[in-house]
Amino acid sequence: MTPKTSQKGTRARGRRGGLAEAMTPARVTVLVLAVLALIFIFENTRETEIRLLVPLVTMPLWLALLAMGLIGALFGAYFMSRRR
């Protein structure tokens, strides 16, 4: 059984819910990274040309940088899994 409290708005262990409890360090980190990602996208909207051996591809800069980051992450994950 859970202990009963006589005050409204308190939980069984005396803790209160709210913004202070919801903002853990991990959630703050994720929020900051999401804001930085949005800033990165909106700052890099101009077009860029990329030569892929012979063809010339035009795409937004943020998309080209995202593609290179994903390729790097895949290679890193592959080589880390081979180490084990």
Side-chain angles (χ1 to χ4, degrees), residues 35-77:
V35 168
L36 288 175
L38 287 174
I39 291 171
F40 174 78
I41 289 170
F42 290 122
E43 287 291 323
N44 295 304
T45 56
R46 68 182 184 276
E47 297 286 318
T48 187
E49 292 181 346
I50 300 171
R51 181 170 302 276
L52 299 172
L53 297 177
V54 176
L56 190 64
V57 179
T58 303
M59 65 175 58
L61 180 59
W62 69 269
L63 189 60
L65 294 172
L66 178 65
M68 290 301 104
L70 288 176
I71 290 170
L74 288 174
F75 273 103

